[in-house]
Amino acid sequence: MADGGQDNELAALEKVLLDKSADPVDLPFSLLKAITGNFSEDNKIGRGGFGAVYKGVLPSGHTIAVKKLFEQFEILDKNFACEIACLVGVKHKNTVRFLGYCSETQHVMRLYEGRSVWADVRQRLLCFEYLPKGCLADYLSDASCRLQWTTCYQIIKGICEGIHYLHQQRIIHMDLNPQNVLLDNNMVPRIADFGLSRRLSGSQSRAITDHKLGTMDIWHQNS
């Protein structure tokens, strides 16, 4: 991880991670590849319909979550743009913190029909705070891990406050489910996965869609 440019990008990422008022930063693909161990299976903490989520470990020891969108997804650019548009400026204790993004197209050699050809590979990634308790679905489905009523109330209240905040920002999540509610160390809920979200214009009062694209997106903690 080494050159001066990457050191500067690491410093910017550390700053936004530690300073909750800081804005998300543009990050190079090489940096995200390095902190996730080249997106190794050992670092994978979740997978959904739009991409896989990896644990990224910074040299300081801090951990973030890196969501790598699938290259072959046909509406990749549209969903990527919509998700960033909704996430930028969203700051609430019950929404996941958006730290940065990467949008690069690389010209690489690939095998095609038995011969090597040059191809454009799109890399689209999003970075978030890492929430070690996993998603709400893990606790609803595991009978041995029943939550106390006070914790259940805290989670319900937090989700409602998060959604109310999003609606005040004219953002409709459109894929709210237990897989997309993450929990921090204190079991405070954070609404995540804005891939299907829509930010309404001033003249709109609702969002209408003809396609249901929401899928399971489960985040868990690796030991």
Side-chain angles (χ1 to χ4, degrees):
M1 272 214 235
D3 59 43
Q6 196 166 84
D7 286 342
N8 292 336
E9 301 292 351
L10 274 170
L13 182 53
E14 286 276 5
K15 182 180 185 301
V16 73
L17 179 61
L18 299 175
D19 180 0
K20 294 184 179 180
S21 66
D23 292 327
V25 291
D26 183 10
L27 298 165
F29 179 72
S30 59
L31 177 114
L32 302 181
K33 181 179 178 180
I35 66 174
T36 58
N38 194 18
F39 306 101
S40 72
E41 286 296 314
D42 289 341
N43 284 331
K44 185 180 285 188
I45 55 175
R47 180 184 175 91
F50 302 125
V53 183
Y54 299 85
K55 184 161 55 174
V57 182
L58 307 185
S60 64
H62 291 123
T63 303
I64 67 169
V66 180
K67 180 178 180 181
K68 186 175 188 289
L69 300 188
F70 296 138
E71 177 189 340
Q72 69 271 24
F73 194 62
E74 60 182 5
I75 53 174
L76 174 64
D77 289 325
K78 179 181 177 182
N79 278 271
F80 183 72
C82 285
E83 188 158 5
I84 288 183
C86 289
L87 286 167
V88 169
V90 169
K91 291 182 172 66
H92 189 271
K93 62 184 177 67
N94 296 118
T95 60
V96 67
R97 283 186 61 217
F98 178 44
L99 306 177
Y101 58 91
C102 171
S103 177
E104 291 185 12
T105 300
Q106 300 170 323
H107 202 48
V108 299
M109 188 70 75
R110 288 283 178 89
L111 280 176
Y112 178 72
E113 295 184 348
R115 62 192 183 93
S116 296
V117 298
W118 287 105
D120 288 334
V121 177
R122 300 178 301 171
Q123 304 291 356
R124 306 290 185 267
L125 303 98
L126 301 162
C127 299
F128 302 92
E129 62 181 326
Y130 175 66
L131 297 168
K133 292 293 186 179
C135 68
L136 179 58
D138 297 337
Y139 297 87
L140 297 180
S141 60
D142 186 357
S144 66
C145 194
R146 292 175 181 170
L147 300 174
Q148 297 292 325
W149 166 242
T150 52
T151 303
C152 290
Y153 174 77
Q154 172 183 277
I155 292 171
I156 294 168
K157 182 172 182 288
I159 294 171
C160 291
E161 290 178 353
I163 289 296
H164 178 64
Y165 167 80
L166 292 175
H167 289 177
Q168 287 181 316
Q169 306 302 310
R170 304 190 69 81
I171 295 172
I172 309 299
H173 189 279
M174 299 184 73
D175 194 20
L176 185 65
N177 59 65
Q179 285 81 22
N180 292 337
V181 176
L182 307 181
L183 301 166
D184 70 9
N185 279 321
N186 297 313
M187 300 299 285
V188 174
R190 308 286 185 90
I191 298 167
D193 199 340
F194 286 71
L196 295 179
S197 298
R198 297 291 181 269
R199 186 185 288 272
L200 304 183
S201 67
S203 61
Q204 286 180 294
S205 61
R206 61 177 179 161
I208 300 174
T209 179
D210 294 327
H211 304 287
K212 296 180 180 179
L213 295 173
T215 57
M216 279 192 178
D217 195 352
I218 300 175
W219 296 27
H220 60 82
Q221 180 184 19
N222 285 348
S223 55

